[in-house]
Amino acid sequence: MSDEIKDNLLKAAMDPQRLYHQAPCGYVTFTATGTIIRINQTLLNWLGYTAEEVTGKMKFSELLSKGGQIHYEMFFRPMLNLSGSVKELSYELLTRTGEIVHVLFGAVSVKDDDGQLLAVDCILTDNTDRKRYEQELLLARKQAEKERERLSQFFMQMPAGICVLDGPEFVFEFINPLYQQLFPGRHLLGKPLLDALPEIKGQEISGILQDVYQTGRMFEGKELLVPLRRTLDSPIEDRYFNFIYQPRTNNHDIIDGVMVFVIEVTDMVYAREQVQQSERSLRTLVMTAHYALMILQGPDFIVEIANQQLAALWNKSLPEITGRKLLDILPELSDQPFPELLRNVMRTGEPYGQQEEALRLTIDNQEQLKYVSFYYDPITGEDGVVTGVIVAAEDITSQVSARKELEVSYCEQQSLNEELAAMNEELGTTNEELNLTQLNLREMIANFEESESRLRSVVESAPFPIGVYIGADMKILLANQNIIDVWGKGNDVIGRSYKEILPELENQEIFSQLDTVFKTGEPFHARNQRVDILVDGEQQIYYFNYSFTPLFDAADNVYGVINTAADVTDLNVAKQAVERNEKNLNEMILQAPVAMCILVGPEHVIKVANRLMVELWGKRIENVLNRPVFEALPDARNQGLEEVMAAVYNTGVAFTTSEMPVTLLRNGKEEVVYQNFVYEPFKNSEGFIIGIIAITIDVTEQVIARQRIEENEKELLTTKNRLEEELEAGKKVQRQKDGFIGMASHELKTPLTSLNAIIQVANAKLRHSPDPFLKGAMEKANLQVKRMTDLINGFLNISRLESGKMIVEKQRFNFDKLIREMIDEVQLTTNAHAIKLAACNEIEIVADRNKIGSVLSNLLSNAVKYSPKHTDIDVSCNIKGDYVMVSVKDKGMGMRSDDLEKIFDRYYRVDSADTQHIAGFGIGLYVSAEIVKQHNGRIWAESELGHGSTFYFELPL
């Protein structure tokens, strides 16, 4: 308190009239009929009246609100008549302008010798600021609770597992349903993390949690391996999670827990590993095929996979081929039929094959002519749309060259036969001609044998299966080792019929195909035809591209069939594996629990997208599939996504971001969508990037909710700061009031002491007076002086406590003796109650005897005041370890549980119809509690409404 304030208070104390009008409290005196006869300037200032307008003209009830007037008539006046005083009542006063002023006030009645009410003195304190603060604080608490409920509901509905771990032991404080589903049947709430999930002890995840809690740094994990049980009795299994650990702070910005957001991605990780394994298997099939094989993707025919045989055919290396456009690799194909044939397969979905086609390649800046047999097979997605082409090819340049040599040899043979016929005709005419003819014949036979030998040599050396069958029964005239190996019937086949060698083909339409070719002279071609052949006693499945070509004699009659074939079994098996892999990958993406899609090529063509991704885009599935992503989603352009996708596609470095805002036109409405997403490079089996895998989680609701929470927290913080300022101002006013009450109590104590002395002297002189009225009057006066003394002492103790000047003078004394003295003293004031002390042994303690005595006196007096007449009050005293415990039990009205929490607060009184008529300012228990605390003790109460109360306090021995 400043010197100026002290001087002003001292001057006010010396001038009672000035003290009355300048006190920070309101004072008013009114008659038994309620007419105001005296009012101080402070109260007039509150209400906006002048003394002339109020004094002798207005009744006190006119200053009250309507509710206050009713309470005044029904309770206040009866209570005042009954007890003589009223303390700590809360009322609403009305100002001149109708505004409300909240006040707390006490009142003391002034009566004549006959006990008739003459006047009422009231003291009032302004309680408006405190009421407003309490209302705003209650509103703020309700708003905060509402926000907490909304946040809790939001967490419960989030499509991700969420939990809150409290304190350094990470106790499960909150879990949502999706988090509980991660551990079915396991009780988590209220348990420390390592008790609920003991298997994570010593794992990396435990250290990560500790780091987040200690450093405050958020941690985001992707596909982290955590060996966990799903249920209590299930075995530990490897599980993968995407998660975020976010530190949680309290009102003082101190970390007090960790918030966990988690999605289990175990199935996705395993599925990706299976896809990768399938791709490796596919690559192995392609790379080990003995013929040229590749897979082209998209309308630009990007080489996804190619083997070494294809690279050798083109005279290129694999790195020069893989991942590039076909016409960028071989621009010389642009004016050849191959690109258009490929486009036709992409358009129609119909496969195409050709047995022999010229291929012009530029090798070392020189054009080279090669011949190939090739087959184009479309690759279709789940929706039936062609997305690529499987190309199988075989370099048959040497076979074509051999065949052409065979054709030349055959022509030479035909020429020789014609010459031989001419010689035979001439043989019958002359011997000279005969001799010449015989000589020529020997030469032609030699040439024929040489031609036949060359023919057999060409057939034998052919790198693909060839067979020549003669006659309607298809006798085998020629068969090279390749076709003999395919048949698997041994080498003894020449001269035997085709049906005899391969009877298992009876029901496979091949015999009828041969018969048709022989009868009609029309060739037959088959592509990717399945043929089941019995090899070494076991039926084997093969796939062939084969042709049955008729052989004509000089009269254009069919005398046989030449059979050429290409074994494409590996190609078909590889194709089936590719289709299976493609289907498995698509199924994995379509069934993924998060939004996923695959974007292929530099234009990011949407190859596959699951339902969650399409819903996120807000488009129809048929409007986006197989289109470049920024053509299907033009609304996503110019938001930074083009650069991100290009960087992932070109560098192979994955991109991850959280809560990225993207503006999309969803279902015809422009919306901002916040996303957590990952862009990962999509690679083929050889490790070349062919696209992007996108994984996205829509976190729009979470982001908006957090933003709202942050805004609300800012508002709450502003309100809190304002309320704290108002509270501090209220405390300042309270300190001024306490200072005034303390000084006033000191000033009142001096005349009260003199009055007490006068009453005691008068009582001694009038003890033997024959007038009974005087004796009774002196006893009443003595009782009133004692009440006033107790009241003033209470205020002085509060003042001393607040200023820290209450001195505890400890001494050793008999505690049991003090208890008995206090019981006897209080018993003298009442004949309506019996105070009973249970057996109490002799106990010595070191304490301030007077102050502990005042604690006992207060508890006993309260028990008397709040107990019905003719009931007992039980007191006990026991030693509990190093403490002595005293209890005071009454059979009174009892208290509610919320009153128990506040009963030791300063100025707090239980507010009920039963307590309205009982005098008190609510300072006795407050002072008692402070005295016990200064003795390092403890004080508390137990009570049940309607069943009495028991007050306890403990003091150290």
Side-chain angles (χ1 to χ4, degrees), residues 670-829:
E670 187 175 275
E671 298 180 14
V672 177
V673 182
Y674 291 88
Q675 304 174 38
N676 294 347
F677 64 81
V678 178
Y679 289 161
E680 292 188 351
F682 181 42
K683 301 179 180 180
N684 60 18
S685 59
E686 297 179 352
F688 294 103
I689 298 171
I690 60 172
I692 296 172
I693 296 179
I695 305 170
T696 302
I697 298 178
D698 184 354
V699 294
T700 305
E701 293 184 1
Q702 298 92 309
V703 171
I704 294 175
R706 190 187 69 249
Q707 291 173 347
R708 290 176 179 171
I709 290 171
E710 290 172 352
E711 292 174 0
N712 291 336
E713 286 178 346
K714 290 179 181 178
E715 293 178 3
L716 287 174
L717 181 60
T718 302
T719 303
K720 174 177 173 290
N721 292 336
R722 179 170 55 82
L723 293 177
E724 287 178 347
E725 291 174 359
E726 294 177 357
L727 180 60
E728 183 58 33
K731 289 181 178 178
K732 183 178 180 181
V733 173
Q734 187 64 46
R735 286 194 294 270
Q736 292 175 351
K737 292 178 182 179
D738 291 341
F740 170 76
I741 290 172
M743 182 170 290
S745 299
H746 275 290
E747 295 300 324
L748 290 172
K749 191 170 185 181
T750 300
L752 191 61
T753 303
S754 300
L755 180 60
N756 187 37
I758 293 170
I759 290 174
Q760 289 179 1
V761 171
N763 193 30
K765 289 184 176 183
L766 296 174
R767 184 177 300 166
H768 304 292
S769 172
D771 189 347
F773 172 76
L774 292 176
K775 183 179 179 180
M778 296 310 297
E779 287 179 355
K780 290 180 179 179
N782 191 41
L783 181 60
Q784 291 297 327
V785 168
K786 185 179 183 306
R787 287 181 177 176
M788 186 62 71
T789 301
D790 291 342
L791 180 62
I792 291 172
N793 286 337
F795 282 124
L796 285 173
N797 284 332
I798 289 178
S799 179
R800 290 167 184 156
L801 283 171
E802 294 298 324
S803 63
K805 294 180 180 180
M806 177 175 278
I807 300 174
V808 177
E809 297 177 350
K810 293 185 179 181
Q811 57 180 312
R812 183 173 293 278
F813 63 90
N814 289 329
F815 188 43
D816 56 297
K817 183 178 180 181
L818 176 63
I819 294 173
R820 290 184 176 88
E821 290 177 3
M822 292 298 102
I823 290 175
D824 293 342
E825 182 179 314
V826 175
Q827 187 69 73
L828 289 174
T829 65

Side-chain angles (χ1 to χ4, degrees), residues 634-669:
D635 40 314
R637 294 174 180 166
N638 303 319
Q639 299 186 58
L641 297 176
E642 297 96 324
E643 294 79 6
V644 171
M645 290 184 184
V648 174
Y649 184 80
N650 294 324
T651 66
V653 178
F655 177 81
T656 302
T657 189
S658 299
E659 300 181 0
M660 179 175 177
V662 179
T663 302
L664 295 175
L665 193 63
R666 304 174 71 186
N667 302 315
K669 181 180 178 182

Side-chain angles (χ1 to χ4, degrees), residues 513-540:
Q513 294 166 1
L514 275 170
D515 188 57
T516 300
V517 171
F518 186 82
K519 290 178 178 178
T520 64
E522 296 292 331
F524 176 83
H525 305 288
R527 297 291 179 265
N528 295 306
Q529 181 69 40
R530 174 175 169 172
V531 180
D532 297 342
I533 300 177
L534 200 63
V535 179
D536 297 329
E538 293 185 6
Q539 186 159 301
Q540 303 285 343

Side-chain angles (χ1 to χ4, degrees), residues 505-605:
L505 302 184
E506 179 68 36
N507 297 318
Q508 300 186 48
E509 299 182 355
I510 293 178
F511 293 158
S512 61
Q513 294 166 1
L514 275 170
D515 188 57
T516 300
V517 171
F518 186 82
K519 290 178 178 178
T520 64
E522 296 292 331
F524 176 83
H525 305 288
R527 297 291 179 265
N528 295 306
Q529 181 69 40
R530 174 175 169 172
V531 180
D532 297 342
I533 300 177
L534 200 63
V535 179
D536 297 329
E538 293 185 6
Q539 186 159 301
Q540 303 285 343
I541 297 175
Y542 291 90
Y543 291 88
F544 292 99
N545 295 340
Y546 63 85
S547 298
F548 293 148
T549 304
L551 297 175
F552 298 93
D553 59 17
D556 284 334
N557 295 317
V558 178
Y559 68 89
V561 175
I562 182 170
N563 177 196
T564 57
D567 185 351
V568 291
T569 303
D570 290 344
L571 171 63
N572 280 269
V573 171
K575 175 186 174 184
Q576 292 167 4
V578 169
E579 292 172 348
R580 285 196 302 272
N581 291 336
E582 188 90 9
K583 183 177 180 180
N584 291 338
L585 177 61
N586 291 346
E587 284 295 325
M588 182 273 292
I589 292 175
L590 293 173
Q591 297 176 10
V594 295
M596 293 183 66
C597 69
I598 294 181
L599 311 175
V600 176
E603 294 184 356
H604 316 304
V605 175

Side-chain angles (χ1 to χ4, degrees), residues 233-274:
D233 53 357
S234 64
I236 292 178
E237 57 182 284
D238 287 346
R239 301 171 68 180
Y240 294 86
F241 298 91
N242 291 348
F243 61 88
I244 296 174
Y245 288 161
Q246 177 75 42
R248 185 188 70 176
T249 57
N250 58 20
N251 293 335
H252 305 291
D253 289 330
I254 298 174
I255 297 172
D256 65 354
V258 177
M259 297 181 66
V260 179
F261 300 82
V262 61
I263 296 177
E264 183 168 6
V265 293
T266 304
D267 293 341
M268 186 176 72
V269 171
Y270 285 156
R272 188 178 65 246
E273 290 178 353
Q274 291 175 356

Side-chain angles (χ1 to χ4, degrees), residues 885 904 938-942 950-954:
M885 184 178 73
F904 296 104
R938 186 167 71 100
I939 188 169
W940 71 98
E942 295 176 357
T950 304
F951 285 81
Y952 302 87
F953 70 92
E954 289 180 344

